[in-house]
Amino acid sequence: MSESSILFEARDSVARITLNRPEVLNSFDTAMSARLQEVLAHVAEDRALRAVYLTGAGRAFCAGQDLSEVDGRSGSRPDFAAHVEKVYNPLVRAVRRLPKPVVCGVNGVAAGAGANLALACDIVIAAEEASFLQAFVKIGLVPDTGGTWILPRLVGQARAAAMLLLGDKLPAPRAEEIGMIYQVCPLAELEQTGLALAERLAVLPTYAISLIKQMLEASAHNPLEQQLRMEAEYQGRAGRSADYQEGVRAFLEKRPARFSGQ
Ligand code: LHQ
């Protein structure tokens, strides 16, 4: 049921979110997406929460769409455009626009929309045993959940094309090698590593981090001149923040900074 398909736990300033339908490799049905959208909206609003750790329960991260929900065997022709707008696009927007960092801990296979949800996160780490596959083409579909936007930016056109057209499994260590994800670690250390990263991020200047997220995203399409103007404008904003006051004061007083996130 939707109540338990997403587990949510707030510990100190870190929101821990777990995709929790392990019997179907945490694949998404509509209710699970709706619940994740609610949880992400709550995290966006709650000022006490300053970083997210997203992972999956059981042996997979997420196998994308729950194919039993969109079973094409009846011969009907469903409206997948509306489905993608309702189920997947809001998740990508929520993660990318969240004014807080999202660490994704890919604990096992990440396929289809599941792979692209992971790649939409700000820092992606994975278990050595994990893998990524752009499974869409294998069932006659096209990539969604931002895959055609994010993948070429992460790995370049040549590798993105091969991954999207062939749908082969990419082992996590190779994904790290080619810069698609940040880091791999043994499965037994994944949670500790991911939560430690989220905890570190949660005490950094959250407002500046939210600006950096926007700047990185804009750099994907801005010409240099526009990006330079954005950097100047956003530095202006950051310079007016309480965390800048604290950061520079702490530096001059030779003590660790205590950032409020504002
Ligand atoms: C599943 C699934 C699953 C249901 C494993 N659904 N049960 C957007 C627009 C509209 C429509 C369609 O979708 C989209 C976005 C998308 O994400 S499209 C891509 C959808 N995903 C896939 O095509 C991946 C399908 N799954 C797989 O290829 C494999 O399961 C992977 C490679 C992920 C894992 O393989 P294995 O480790 O060998 O596991 P398995 O295949 O044996 O799966 C274990 C169980 O989980 C099994 O059920 P069972 O009752 O036999 O134990 C699977 O049926 C079930 N499962 N993925 N997406």
Side-chain angles (χ1 to χ4, degrees):
M1 262 311 289
S2 58
E3 279 72 30
S4 59
S5 61
I6 298 293
L7 304 179
F8 171 71
E9 186 193 350
R11 200 182 300 159
D12 300 324
S13 307
V14 174
R16 188 202 158 114
I17 302 174
T18 307
L19 310 178
N20 187 41
R21 302 178 76 224
E23 65 286 357
V24 285
L25 306 188
N26 305 320
S27 56
F28 274 99
D29 61 8
T30 304
M32 174 162 142
S33 168
R35 179 70 188 132
L36 183 54
Q37 290 175 46
E38 276 172 25
V39 166
L40 289 169
H42 167 74
V43 173
E45 287 300 308
D46 188 339
R47 294 181 116 178
L49 296 172
R50 293 170 57 191
V52 175
Y53 179 63
L54 173 68
T55 192
R59 72 175 174 91
F61 173 69
C62 174
Q65 170 67 39
D66 181 337
L67 294 174
S68 66
E69 192 189 43
V70 292
D71 188 347
R73 285 175 297 187
S74 66
S76 65
R77 300 288 171 99
D79 183 355
F80 282 165
H83 187 79
V84 168
E85 282 295 356
K86 180 176 172 187
V87 176
Y88 296 107
N89 287 352
L91 295 178
V92 179
R93 293 189 186 106
V95 167
R96 303 294 291 197
R97 293 179 186 170
L98 195 75
K100 316 175 179 193
V102 182
V103 177
C104 185
V106 180
N107 51 302
V109 65
N116 293 335
L117 175 64
L119 298 179
C121 296
D122 300 305
I123 298 182
V124 185
I125 63 169
E128 282 159 352
E129 303 79 350
S131 57
F132 296 82
L133 78 152
Q134 297 289 337
F136 309 89
V137 71
K138 296 196 163 181
I139 53 169
L141 291 181
V142 299
D144 57 28
T145 317
T148 56
W149 188 88
I150 194 92
L151 205 57
R153 286 174 170 80
L154 290 174
V155 300
Q157 196 75 14
R159 287 181 174 127
M163 282 182 216
L164 296 174
L165 298 178
L166 297 168
D168 287 342
K169 227 180 218 187
L170 184 76
R174 179 73 184 141
E176 184 200 63
E177 246 170 59
I178 64 174
M180 191 174 101
I181 62 171
Y182 180 55
Q183 188 187 338
V184 288
C185 62
L187 179 60
E189 291 166 23
L190 181 73
E191 181 169 317
Q192 192 194 353
T193 308
L195 283 171
L197 270 174
E199 281 158 13
R200 267 182 65 194
L201 287 159
V203 294
L204 290 176
T206 310
Y207 176 62
I209 284 181
S210 75
L211 298 180
I212 295 169
K213 281 184 68 160
Q214 291 175 47
M215 292 160 79
L216 276 173
E217 180 127 345
S219 77
H221 52 78
N222 271 352
L224 175 62
E225 196 45 48
Q226 206 173 331
Q227 195 68 12
L228 289 174
R229 282 197 296 272
M230 186 179 198
E231 288 179 0
E233 186 196 328
Y234 279 41
Q235 197 67 289
R237 293 188 196 182
R240 291 189 288 275
S241 70
D243 277 343
Y244 168 66
Q245 298 280 314
E246 165 61 9
V248 80
R249 194 176 298 141
F251 176 79
L252 294 173
E253 292 170 6
K254 300 190 187 302
R255 62 169 173 80
R258 287 180 299 271
F259 294 117
S260 67
Q262 309 299 308

